[in-house]
Amino acid sequence: MWVHGYKRLNRHMWLHRIIRHMLIVSATVLFGGFFGATLVRVAPGFGVDEQQLDTRLSNESVQAIRHSRDSERDIFGFYTQYLGGLFRGNLGFSHSLGRPVTQLLAERVPVTFYSVIKGLVGGWLVGLVLALSAAMLRSKTYDFACTLASGFFLCLPSAVLAILFLLIQGPVPLGIGLTVFPKIFRYARNLLVQAYALPHVLTAQSKGLSGGRILFWHVLPLATPQLVALAGASVTVALGAAIPIEVVCDSPGIGQLAWLAALGRDLPVLVVLTILVTVITVLANATADLAISALRHRPS
Amino acid sequence: MKPRRQFAVGILILVFLASLMANQLAPVSYSHQFRESANAPPSHEFPLGTDDLGRDRLSRLLYGSRISLLLAPVAALIATALAALVGGTAGYLGGWWERVGMGFSDLFMSLPWLFLLLTFRAMLPLNVSPLASVIITFTLLGLLGWAAAARVVCAGARALRNSEFVLQARTHGCGDFRLLIWHVLPPLKPVLYAQFWISIPVFILSEANLGVLGLGVAEPLPSWGNLLRDLENYRAALTSPWLLAPLFLLVLVVACFQTVLPEEDLP
């Protein structure tokens, strides 16, 4: 259906798009979990437990430890069994932490969720405000200062940023925000500068339109779809930054859990975490994609 | 070339040469211990002091720079080669090849690769040799970092698919493989070159993150990642600023890589 030159998506087309995205999410989740589990299974040190090196343990005890992980040796068996358990709400048992994975996730997911959300909101606010002001002011000094600040944070590993945060007793979300903000600033700044240089925007400026009107009527509508796509991608960046920051700052979230599980060679926890983060990433990207479709096909 | 970029290239060449000549420049071997001088402050004998095992920090920094600076480009080369292969084939052949190739790259981009890297790195045998840990860490970085670049290469190859010179080569009986290698990929060199340069600082930072978490290059081999672990004792870093030398060098090198790249090529 075409309304004022724009193709308007009808209900059937929306349904089609949503189903397609759900299929992609399901395929990615299945593949992600299987890929993660396979990667771990084929790693040369799979099945080796530091407990086995304990000289106080008898041969029988060492054998018992080895046999306790027999079910994880057959990767297809493990994964099928795991998926079956998943449908029954059983996410497995953590060998290294001695607790059900569901319990661990229930405790830790909210911590990371709030840290990532707050970090994303903060990072986006700072990045977007700086990008907007740099594009609107067109001051070389201001632009240089903003680029320098964002460049500095872009060059710092998030783990080192977390160490600096320990020094000033800063909160974890701020660390995540500072990891996200330089990427937002750099991308949004380039996008807005390009939009401000377009002929129709220059014409609008020469005709004396106010800064706000130019921004909201001529610049942002052009930049919004790409900024929405960036919003989806920034979730991945924030989740990636959460691992080192939570480990260094001793924040009990899923980033720290992944690290603990990696050190403890804990396959069930690692597979669940890989799937969980994949689901969040794919859902964020799918939402951004649908939002872009809605923006591009809205009536004028 | 802008003076800013010339300056950055100059610094990169300097650091690169210094790391290559670590054998000549380093006062001692990176693993040599001066047991009586553990945690020594900078002096004439030890310009950057010694660590808690009595090893010369300057020597470790020089050798560590060699590992990070030589292997990050190797990882970037692996990622770029994979991106050229998958993206180039998908873009050139089009149709189902493109759908499958790009679907695969989408799947790869959705995977939390830091989680995967952390997982795989931790699953290595307990007695893995330091050299093997270096090779595995950087190979994994290369194998996991190709997907985003493949999309860019695919778009470039798609644009060339029906260009006149490709059609002409095809009418002269040039096979698909030869066309891809000799006619489609060479014009995409600037794209591949940009992707290669973009990947290097990303891999340096990833190795640094893994190193701080204790899952990067194994001791006693030094790398920027495991040298940064000294900063975990941040109170000591406040009173002993020479501990910040690896961080300073890492930030400088990554900043130089960002400056060398033209702004339009930055992600």
Side-chain angles (χ1 to χ4, degrees):
Chain A
M1 188 190 295
W2 291 81
V3 179
H4 299 295
Y6 284 85
K7 192 182 176 191
R8 197 171 181 180
L9 291 177
N10 60 30
R11 195 178 293 171
H12 176 73
M13 287 165 96
W14 273 113
L15 201 66
H16 177 77
R17 270 169 190 259
I18 291 169
I19 290 173
R20 202 185 67 191
H21 277 294
M22 282 173 73
L23 282 175
I24 293 171
V25 171
S26 314
T28 312
V29 167
L30 287 173
F31 175 79
F34 187 68
F35 185 71
T38 311
L39 204 61
V40 171
R41 178 62 193 86
V42 298
F46 176 78
V48 180
D49 194 319
E50 278 175 24
Q51 277 182 302
Q52 293 172 28
L53 302 177
D54 194 337
T55 49
R56 292 168 299 180
L57 295 179
S58 64
N59 277 341
E60 288 77 22
S61 305
V62 173
Q63 288 302 324
I65 293 171
R66 281 188 191 147
H67 289 310
S68 69
R69 292 192 165 186
D70 277 350
S71 60
E72 292 172 13
R73 289 185 191 281
D74 170 19
I75 187 68
F76 285 101
F78 167 74
Y79 197 58
T80 324
Q81 200 183 347
Y82 166 76
L83 281 178
L86 192 72
F87 285 112
R88 292 191 299 273
N90 174 18
L91 298 178
F93 191 82
S94 162
H95 296 292
S96 62
L97 299 168
R99 294 175 64 193
V101 179
T102 324
Q103 225 175 65
L104 289 168
L105 287 184
E107 282 171 16
R108 288 171 181 263
V109 167
V111 177
T112 305
F113 178 77
Y114 288 117
S115 298
V116 167
I117 291 290
K118 285 177 193 170
L120 275 172
V121 171
W124 265 89
L125 266 177
V126 177
L128 212 54
V129 167
L130 287 182
L132 264 175
S133 50
M136 287 173 83
L137 292 174
R138 285 184 229 170
S139 151
K140 276 193 175 175
T141 321
Y142 182 75
D143 193 41
F144 179 72
C146 290
T147 308
L148 201 69
S150 74
F152 175 71
F153 287 109
L154 208 58
C155 297
L156 270 186
S158 21
V160 174
L161 196 66
I163 294 172
L164 296 179
F165 264 73
L166 277 181
L167 201 68
I168 58 163
Q169 301 289 316
V172 172
L174 196 55
I176 295 174
L178 283 177
T179 312
V180 173
F181 121 80
K183 293 172 179 85
I184 306 295
F185 167 75
R186 191 163 276 211
Y187 192 84
R189 178 201 161 274
N190 290 347
L191 209 63
L192 292 169
V193 166
Q194 280 170 18
Y196 267 104
L198 288 172
H200 74 278
V201 178
L202 293 174
T203 312
Q205 279 171 339
S206 65
K207 285 190 171 179
L209 254 73
S210 68
R213 199 176 161 86
I214 290 174
L215 176 69
F216 291 109
W217 285 73
H218 298 286
V219 173
L220 280 185
L222 285 172
T224 306
Q226 293 182 64
L227 288 176
V228 172
L230 181 65
S234 63
V235 175
T236 319
V237 176
L239 283 169
I243 303 178
I245 292 176
E246 284 185 355
V247 171
V248 176
C249 294
D250 196 23
S251 171
I254 56 166
Q256 193 195 46
L257 180 64
W259 182 69
L260 289 172
L263 292 181
R265 295 155 181 265
D266 207 332
L267 182 60
V269 178
L270 289 166
V271 175
V272 170
L273 285 177
T274 309
I275 292 180
L276 182 70
V277 178
T278 309
V279 169
I280 298 169
T281 309
V282 179
L283 278 179
N285 288 328
T287 313
D289 204 31
L290 287 172
I292 293 167
S293 300
L295 283 168
R296 288 210 171 125
H297 296 95
R298 72 187 187 282
S300 56
Chain B
M1 199 191 273
K2 284 181 185 172
R4 199 174 52 172
R5 290 176 69 191
Q6 284 176 341
F7 184 67
V9 170
I11 290 180
L12 281 179
I13 291 173
L14 257 178
V15 178
F16 200 75
L17 282 178
S19 66
L20 276 182
M21 294 165 68
N23 288 344
Q24 287 77 36
L25 293 175
V28 286
S29 158
Y30 61 84
S31 58
H32 186 85
Q33 283 180 280
F34 297 90
R35 288 169 194 256
E36 66 289 351
S37 316
N39 283 322
S43 61
H44 182 69
E45 194 182 359
F46 309 113
L48 285 177
T50 58
D51 63 9
D52 46 3
L53 294 174
R55 295 172 300 189
D56 179 48
R57 283 187 191 280
L58 177 65
S59 305
R60 289 185 64 73
L61 184 60
L62 285 167
Y63 280 102
S65 305
R66 179 194 281 186
I67 288 173
S68 297
L69 269 181
L70 286 183
L71 291 178
V74 173
L77 200 67
I78 296 173
T80 312
L82 276 173
L85 186 76
V86 178
T89 312
Y92 169 68
L93 294 176
W96 277 101
W97 283 97
E98 189 175 344
R99 280 183 207 168
V100 171
M102 288 307 95
F104 197 60
S105 97
D106 279 347
L107 284 173
F108 238 84
M109 281 200 291
S110 307
L111 292 176
W113 64 278
L114 192 56
F115 276 76
L116 286 177
L117 204 62
L118 201 74
T119 306
F120 193 81
R121 183 63 191 79
M123 285 290 157
L124 292 178
L126 297 171
N127 57 350
V128 67
S129 74
L131 187 67
S133 79
V134 175
I135 295 169
I136 290 169
T137 303
F138 282 96
T139 309
L140 273 174
L141 284 171
L143 290 177
L144 291 171
W146 60 272
R151 292 201 74 85
V152 183
V153 177
C154 178
R158 194 190 306 127
L160 289 173
R161 189 164 60 207
N162 294 322
S163 60
E164 282 182 14
F165 70 93
V166 171
L167 289 176
Q168 203 170 2
R170 200 177 286 149
T171 54
H172 279 78
C174 193
D176 279 337
F177 181 74
R178 195 182 158 85
L179 254 171
L180 182 68
I181 300 294
W182 292 99
H183 299 284
V184 175
L185 287 181
L188 294 175
K189 260 186 201 163
V191 177
L192 295 170
Y193 173 77
Q195 291 302 321
F196 171 74
W197 276 91
I198 289 168
S199 306
I200 296 174
V202 173
F203 292 152
I204 290 176
L205 289 175
S206 301
E207 191 279 323
N209 272 327
L210 282 175
V212 176
L213 296 179
L215 294 165
V217 174
E219 288 275 359
L221 271 183
S223 75
W224 284 344
N226 62 26
L227 290 175
L228 288 174
R229 288 199 85 180
D230 287 342
L231 293 181
E232 278 181 348
N233 184 4
Y234 55 94
R235 290 189 201 286
L238 279 182
T239 52
S240 320
W242 56 89
L243 293 182
L244 297 170
L247 178 63
F248 174 76
L249 196 62
L250 178 117
V251 170
L252 182 75
V253 167
V254 174
C256 286
F257 272 111
Q258 305 274 8
T259 313
V260 167
L261 269 172
E263 198 134 284
E264 58 271 21
D265 286 336
L266 287 171

